[in-house]
Amino acid sequence: MRPQSLEKFGLPALEDLDQGRFKPGTVRLENPAFVSAEQVKSLPASADLLWVDIREDKPDAGATIPNSIHIPARDLAGKMFLRNKALLLFDNGFAAARNLDLLGQLQAAGFNNVRVLAGGLNAWRHAGGVVSGDSLIHATLDQVSPAQFYAEREFSDIKLLDFSRQAPDKKSDDDLRRVLRQAVAGPGERQVAAARVLLMTDAGLDYDRFRRIADKAGLPPLYFLQGGKQGYRTYLQRQLAVWNRPAEKQGKIVTCGRRRR
C-alpha cells in the first residue's frame, strides 16, 4: 500500500518541516566495519589495504584519495577477483544506509575483509588526509541532496542544524561561531565527532560562510543540505505526489503480461 501521508511514511509532516520540528531517528549506526579516519591513520604501515572509491561517477579530475581504484558500489559485489583482498571503501561520507546494504551484499558474495571509511572523503580531508583532484571540487564533498537526507532520516547519529528561521547575514562571525559550537556539542555535552552534522538554511545559501567559520573553530566536518529547507520541501512534495498517484497513471497495471502506459 502506498502511504497517503508523509507522517505514515515516517517523515515529519510538511507542517512540522515549516515549524522546524525535526524528529531524530532511532536507528543506531553501530557496525564494526565502519572505521574513522583516525583509526585508518593508526593502522601499521604493513596493512595491505586496497582503497576503493565506490561513488557512481568516475573521479577523473575530481577529488579522490591517491592510489585508490574506482568501482561503483553497484558493481563491487561482482568483482570476485577482489573477494580475498582487504578493502577500504569510501564515498563522500553521508550515505551510511547505502553502505550498510552494500556490506550485506558483499558478505553474501563471500567478501570477508571489508571496511568503510566513516565520514568518507569529507572526514578524511578534515583529518588531514591527502585528497587529490581539483580543489574547487573539494568544496562539494560536504553537499547532501534532499534524496540522500531522506534515505538517512532514520539514523540517530544525524544532528540537524536548522538555520532557516534565522538571518545569518545579520549575525557576526563570532555570533555564528558560538551558535555552531553550542549546536554541535550541546550545553554541557562533549562534542561527538562521530555524529553526522547536517546544516541547512532556508534556500541553501551562506554555506561557504558557515564552512569557513566551522573550519576556523575546529569543529567536526559539517554537511550541508543542497537547496536548504526549500529544496527539501520541494522534494517531499514531489515524493508525496508520486506516492498518491493512482496506480494506473504510474503505469503499474499489467494486462496480459504487458504494462499499460
Side-chain angles (χ1 to χ4, degrees):
M1 174 181 288
R2 295 187 311 280
Q4 298 302 308
S5 73
L6 295 172
E7 202 62 61
K8 290 182 181 179
F9 206 73
L11 277 177
L14 288 176
E15 310 87 72
D16 286 345
L17 182 72
D18 291 334
Q19 295 176 23
R21 296 199 301 263
F22 289 89
K23 300 174 184 177
T26 58
V27 178
R28 292 181 177 273
L29 182 56
E30 295 178 341
N31 190 303
F34 282 74
V35 293
S36 69
E38 289 74 16
Q39 287 175 308
V40 173
K41 284 187 166 188
S42 67
L43 290 174
S46 59
D48 188 17
L49 281 178
L50 179 61
W51 294 61
V52 184
D53 186 336
I54 59 172
R55 293 174 296 173
E56 296 304 311
D57 298 326
K58 189 175 181 180
D60 291 329
T64 191
I65 294 175
N67 301 317
S68 62
I69 63 173
H70 175 250
I71 303 176
R74 65 176 183 272
D75 299 330
L76 190 54
K79 305 297 183 183
M80 301 307 290
F81 65 93
L82 296 176
R83 188 170 57 180
N84 296 318
K85 292 187 177 295
L87 306 180
L88 180 62
L89 316 182
F90 67 91
D91 53 16
N92 283 12
F94 198 77
R98 192 274 305 273
N99 290 338
L100 283 170
D101 288 342
L102 177 59
L103 285 170
Q105 295 171 23
L106 294 175
Q107 184 177 12
F111 290 72
N112 53 25
N113 193 354
V114 182
R115 303 181 214 186
V116 176
L117 180 61
L121 282 167
N122 193 29
W124 182 252
R125 184 173 67 97
H126 193 84
V130 177
V131 176
S132 63
D134 190 339
S135 60
L136 294 177
I137 303 295
H138 293 185
T140 68
L141 297 176
D142 53 17
Q143 300 292 300
V144 174
S145 71
Q148 287 176 315
F149 177 41
Y150 171 78
E152 303 292 322
R153 69 197 183 282
E154 295 181 353
F155 285 98
S156 61
D157 68 308
I158 294 178
K159 192 162 192 176
L160 184 64
L161 307 186
D162 183 2
F163 282 85
S164 64
R165 289 179 164 268
Q166 304 185 41
D169 58 317
K170 296 181 179 179
K171 295 181 180 293
S172 69
D173 284 5
D174 286 341
D175 288 337
L176 289 180
R177 187 178 299 110
R178 281 193 293 270
V179 172
L180 281 175
R181 277 180 173 154
Q182 182 175 3
V184 170
E189 298 179 14
R190 289 189 307 166
Q191 189 166 285
V192 182
R196 288 176 285 171
V197 182
L198 180 65
L199 186 148
M200 73 174 182
T201 57
D202 186 55
L205 304 177
D206 298 311
Y207 287 162
D208 284 342
R209 187 181 178 201
F210 279 108
R211 188 181 292 111
R212 174 176 53 81
I213 292 172
D215 286 346
K216 214 171 174 183
L219 294 174
L222 304 180
Y223 292 95
F224 298 90
L225 185 61
Q226 292 175 349
K229 179 180 281 188
Q230 292 181 23
Y232 193 55
R233 181 188 296 111
T234 299
Y235 173 79
L236 294 182
Q237 290 169 335
R238 288 175 178 170
Q239 289 298 104
L240 186 58
V242 171
W243 293 328
N244 287 334
R245 187 187 307 166
E248 185 174 357
K249 291 185 179 180
Q250 295 184 51
K252 292 184 179 179
I253 294 180
V254 178
T255 304
C256 297
R258 298 183 64 183
R259 175 175 288 184
R260 182 184 300 170
R261 298 292 179 184

